Amino acid sequence: MKVLHVELDQNRSYPIYIGSGLLNQPELLRQHIRSKQVLIVSNETIAPLYLPSLQAALGEYQVETVILPDGEQYKNLAHLEKIFDQLLAKKFSRNATLIALGGGVIGDMGGFAAACYQRGIVFIQIPTTLLAQVDSSVGGKTGVNHPLGKNMIGAFYQPQCVIADADVLDTLDDRQLAAGLAEVIKYGLIRDAEFLDWLEANMPRLLARDKAALAYAIERSCINKAEVVGEDEFESGVRATLNLGHTFGHAIETGSGYGHYLHGEAVAIGTCFAADLSQRLGWLNAANVERVIKIFQAANLPVTPPAEMSTEQYVDLMAVDKKNVDGKIRVILLEAIGKASLPVNVELAQLQDTLNNYSKANA
Ligand code: NAD
Ligand code: GLY
C-alpha cells in the first residue's frame, strides 16, 4: 500500500491510501470514524458489488445506507435530499460519519451532504472509478448540478481520508476506464510532461488493465492532484489549471443532457478545444495540438464536439462557469505541453470564431 498526503493547514491534512485489497482492511477506515453512527452512500450499481463487504467490515457500528439511482442526471438537489432524509430519520448526530462508496457522482454528492448536515460531519471517500481515484475523491470539491449549470451548487469540504482500492476497477467497464484516463492525461498536459511521455508509451498497458501500470498512473495522478490542492485549496490560483478542458466540457455535458457524454469524455473533447484555442493564441504549434488529440484517441476517447449543439448554445453554457468573472468567459489553456495557463479571458468574437472553426475542422 502507498500512502500519500494532502497537506492542508489547521490540522486538516489527510491520507490517500492506494493499493490492492484495501476494502478488506477495516482498520484503515475505523481509525477515522469518531462515533457508532455511519452512513454509507452508494448507488444501485455499486452497492451490490461492494456494500456487503464494507458493511461486514463495520459490523459493530450502526451502519445505515442510502442507495441512489445510478447516473449523472441524479446528481441534483432532489436526490441530495434523500441523504438528509436518512440522516435525520436515523437521528444521526454531529460526530457521525458519512462514507461515499462510488464514483465521482456519489463522492461529490456524499461530500456535499456531509458538509451541510449539521454544518459538517466526518466524511470518508472510497472512490470506485478510475476518475474518482485519480481526481474527484481528492481535494474536497463537492456539490451537485443544476439544470442550467454543472456543479454550480456545492462546497469545499475535505474528507478525513481517501481509500483507493485498485481491485474495484476490475468491475468497471472499458468506457468508464477510458473516461478516467482523460483526467490522468490532464495531469501530464498541465504540469507533468514526463508523465505524459510515460502515458504515451504505456497507454496500451493501461487499456489492458495492467495492474502495475494502473497503480503507477493512480499514484502519479494523486501526487499531482495533492500538490496542486495543497498549494491552492480554494482555487484562487493554480488549482484552476485542473479545469483544463472543463469549461467547454461542462457545456457539452449540460447541453447534451447530463449522462449522455461521460464527464471524462466531455473533458477530452474540451481539452482538444483548448489546445486548438492555444494554437490560435500562438502558444502551441500544430504538432503539439496533434499530440494532444492523439493521446486522447489512444485512450479511446472522443475528440470532436457533438454536432447537434450550436455555437450560440456553447457560448451560452460556457457563460455559466465558476471561473468566469464579471460576465467574462475564462478558460484554461496550454502555454506549452506540460504547462497550463491560469484562466484567460476570451472575447466573445474570438470564442465564436474558434468554435465555428474548431467544430468544422474536426467534423
Ligand atoms: P460516476 O460516478 O457516474 O461513475 C461512472 C459509472 O461507473 C456509474 O454508472 C457507476 O455506477 C459505475 N461504477 C462506479 N464504480 C464502479 C465499479 N467499481 N464497478 C462497476 N461500475 C462502477 O462517474 P465518474 O466518472 O466516477 O465521476 C464523474 C463525476 O465526477 C462528475 O459528476 C464530475 O463532475 C465529478 N468530478 C468531480 C471532481 C471533483 O473534484 N470533485 C473532479 C472530477 C469529476
Ligand atoms: N477537478 C478539479 C479540482 O479538483 O479542482
Side-chain angles (χ1 to χ4, degrees), residues 43-46 49-50 70-72 75 102-108 127-132 135-143 145 150-151 168-173 176 179-180 183 186 225 239 246 250 253 262-264:
N43 77 20
E44 55 202 8
T45 304
I46 302 152
L49 297 168
Y50 303 111
D70 182 3
E72 184 76 35
K75 184 180 164 184
V105 168
I106 291 298
D108 282 13
T128 62
T129 61
L130 179 62
L131 185 139
D135 191 355
S136 63
S137 65
V138 176
K141 278 192 182 176
T142 72
N145 302 326
K150 180 140 166 77
N151 292 339
V168 302
L169 302 182
D170 290 347
T171 53
L172 198 63
D173 70 32
Q176 296 291 351
E183 302 281 18
K186 172 182 80 179
K225 177 104 193 215
R239 185 165 183 172
H246 283 57
H250 284 169
E253 282 186 87
L262 301 182
H263 177 72

Side-chain angles (χ1 to χ4, degrees), residues 95-153:
N95 56 0
T97 298
L98 190 153
I99 300 176
L101 173 70
V105 168
I106 291 298
D108 282 13
M109 292 180 78
F112 191 33
C116 297
Y117 185 70
Q118 298 200 26
R119 304 198 179 90
I121 59 174
V122 175
F123 175 45
I124 292 175
Q125 287 267 21
I126 305 187
T128 62
T129 61
L130 179 62
L131 185 139
Q133 294 189 348
V134 299
D135 191 355
S136 63
S137 65
V138 176
K141 278 192 182 176
T142 72
V144 294
N145 302 326
H146 185 278
L148 297 180
K150 180 140 166 77
N151 292 339
M152 289 305 282
I153 302 163

Side-chain angles (χ1 to χ4, degrees), residues 132-242:
Q133 294 189 348
V134 299
D135 191 355
S136 63
S137 65
V138 176
K141 278 192 182 176
T142 72
V144 294
N145 302 326
H146 185 278
L148 297 180
K150 180 140 166 77
N151 292 339
M152 289 305 282
I153 302 163
F156 285 99
Y157 195 67
Q158 302 291 344
Q160 295 295 311
C161 72
V162 178
I163 302 177
D165 185 340
D167 291 349
V168 302
L169 302 182
D170 290 347
T171 53
L172 198 63
D173 70 32
D174 288 344
R175 187 178 169 202
Q176 296 291 351
L177 188 84
L181 289 171
E183 302 281 18
V184 173
I185 293 166
K186 172 182 80 179
Y187 297 114
L189 290 173
I190 64 170
R191 70 192 303 272
D192 193 350
E194 199 183 88
F195 185 34
L196 191 73
D197 294 340
W198 183 90
L199 288 169
E200 287 170 332
N202 289 279
M203 195 53 78
R205 286 177 68 204
L206 291 168
L207 292 173
R209 295 163 186 264
D210 176 303
K211 292 263 183 203
L214 275 173
Y216 178 75
I218 294 167
E219 184 189 345
R220 185 118 178 194
S221 298
C222 286
I223 289 172
N224 274 293
K225 177 104 193 215
E227 279 177 5
V228 174
V229 171
E231 209 175 305
D232 178 24
E233 182 181 3
F234 298 110
E235 198 167 315
S236 51
V238 70
R239 185 165 183 172
T241 61
L242 295 174

